[in-house]
Structures are given as C-alpha cells and as structure tokens.
C-alpha cells in the first residue's frame, strides 16, 4: 500500500505494450486510487496504443470526467444512446455500460430505485467489471440498503484483486449510518493497521474516527490511539 507509485509505473509500462488486458488493468487501478484526472488523460492515450481497445477504457474516462465535474448528466445519456445503437450480439460491454450510464443519470436525477434497476442489469450483462459493482453499492447505500451495499463493495474489491480504499471508507460510513459504531471503529482499525503509512497518507480514514469521537462512542483508549496515530 505504501508503493502505489511503483504499482502504477509497472502497470503503465505493461499497458504501453499494446496489450488489451494490461491496458484495462492500468486504467482500472488509476480509478480505484481516485486518480480521476489521470484516468481522463491516460485512457485515450492508452487506447490509441492498443489494438481493439476495450470499451472499458472509454467508459472509465467518461465516469472519471463525471467524478471531476467535467461531464454533466446529459453526457451520460448521450453516451448511453450511442452505445445502445452500437450494441449487438456478443457486445455485452457496450450494453452493460449503457445501462450503467442510465443508472448514473437516474441517480443524479434522484431516482435511486430506477438507478438500482439499471445497475442490476449492467452487472447481469458484465459481472466481471468491478466498477459496476462499486456504483451499484453506492446506489444501494442511497436506498439505505447498507448490508447489500457493503456486499457489492466487497464484490468490487474481490474483482479488482486489490483493496479499494474509497469503498472501504464508504463501508465504514455505512456502518456509522446504521448506528453500528463499534463495528465501524473496528473496521477502520483493521484497514489502517493493514495498510500502514501509505493507507493513512492516501485516504482520510480519520473522518470516520472523528465522527465516532463526536458521537462519544469511542473509549478513552481508542481516543488515545487516534490521537497518537
């Protein structure tokens, strides 16, 4: 966890060989580390080097633009319509991403139940894509279905083959939302202890700790641990 820069450098070098699978793994990892601007810049560059580049690269770039505020909900619908026009037999990725974009649009429009339906369809079409599970988890959390949300976030991490810090943080926040403060604190401790200095540097776990302290649920020993970490 302390050497994300090394991991990214290795994946970048592999992606630049033009290998389709390595290209996808590289862009996915950038996104999982919340390097959204890097995804926006690198996805089209890597796609240009990759024969028969996956639709995944373009999809990640669009969602990263959405995360940074550079794309608006209408862009999602426009892209969904284009993908639906292109999708056909055997083109499951296009169909899945089209459903995902419509789901994101529904979520932004306040239609969480509609978003749930679209993302469930996207996952059915493309179950191996971790980002679809991650997005669906957030939609389920918005519907206050916290346990299924945590299951989706865990599925996303399992498919990614690596810890996804923002999803772990959301899982902690979902436990807080349920009033499960002891479980939230324990999960935070496990993540920080496992991740070492790199984990503390790259993701603000202490937002969860502070919220626990404000609610007065942490013990004196836990408060001392947080203060000294």
């Amino acid at each position: 966890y302390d050497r994300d820069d090394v991991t990214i450098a290795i994946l970048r070098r592999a992606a630049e060989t033009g290998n389709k699978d390595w290209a996808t793994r590289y862009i996915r990892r950038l996104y999982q580390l919340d390097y959204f601007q890097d995804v926006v810049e690198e996805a089209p560059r890597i796609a240009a080097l990759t024969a028969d580049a996956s639709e995944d690269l373009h999809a990640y770039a669009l969602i990263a633009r959405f995360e940074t505020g550079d794309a608006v909900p209408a862009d999602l619908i426009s892209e969904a319509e284009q993908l639906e026009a292109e999708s056909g037999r055997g083109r499951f990725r296009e169909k899945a991403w089209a459903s995902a974009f419509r789901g994101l649009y529904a979520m932004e429009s306040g239609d969480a139940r509609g978003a749930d339906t679209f993302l469930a369809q996207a996952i059915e079409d493309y179950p191996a894509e971790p980002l679809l599970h991650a997005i669906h988890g957030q939609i389920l959390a918005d519907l206050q279905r916290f346990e299924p949300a945590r299951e989706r976030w865990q599925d996303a991490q399992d498919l990614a083959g690596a810890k996804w810090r923002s999803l772990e943080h959301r899982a902690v926040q979902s436990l807080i939302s349920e009033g499960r403060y002891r479980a939230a604190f324990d999960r935070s401790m496990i993540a920080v202890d496992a991740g070492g200095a790199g984990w503390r540097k790259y993701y603000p776990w202490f937002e969860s700790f502070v919220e626990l302290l404000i609610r007065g649920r942490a013990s004196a020993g836990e408060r001392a641990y947080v203060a000294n970490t």
Side-chain angles (χ1 to χ4, degrees), residues 26-178:
Y26 170 48
I27 297 303
R28 279 177 176 161
R29 194 59 188 147
L30 286 174
Y31 188 96
Q32 290 156 10
L33 291 169
D34 293 345
Y35 296 167
F36 299 132
Q37 190 57 45
D38 288 340
V39 172
V40 172
E41 295 171 1
E42 284 288 86
R45 183 181 76 85
I46 294 298
L49 298 174
T50 308
D52 190 29
S54 169
E55 177 59 36
D56 297 343
L57 303 188
H58 181 67
Y60 268 82
L62 177 58
I63 295 175
R65 286 179 55 220
F66 190 66
E67 292 280 4
T68 61
D70 188 44
V72 297
D75 294 330
L76 297 171
I77 291 298
S78 176
E79 185 65 23
E81 290 173 346
Q82 181 176 337
L83 288 173
E84 286 164 351
E86 295 174 356
S87 64
R89 185 176 181 180
R91 303 196 70 177
F92 63 92
R93 285 185 175 86
E94 285 80 357
K95 183 180 178 184
W97 286 118
S99 294
F101 295 149
R102 289 195 178 277
L104 283 169
Y105 180 84
M107 184 169 64
E108 287 296 307
S109 302
D111 181 12
R113 294 192 182 281
D116 178 23
T117 299
F118 279 119
L119 263 297
Q121 181 61 57
I123 290 170
E124 182 178 334
D125 291 329
Y126 191 6
E129 174 48 57
L131 183 52
L132 298 178
H133 293 265
I135 295 170
H136 195 204
Q138 187 57 52
I139 292 167
L140 292 170
D142 289 347
L143 289 167
Q144 298 190 348
R145 295 171 57 191
F146 297 116
E147 189 62 38
R150 288 191 290 273
E151 290 174 1
R152 281 299 192 202
W153 289 327
Q154 187 59 54
D155 289 341
Q157 294 193 77
D158 291 343
L159 289 167
K163 286 293 184 182
W164 195 329
R165 294 172 189 136
S166 61
L167 299 189
E168 277 293 309
H169 184 68
R170 291 174 194 173
V172 169
Q173 293 293 348
S174 74
L175 289 166
I176 293 172
S177 296
E178 290 181 305

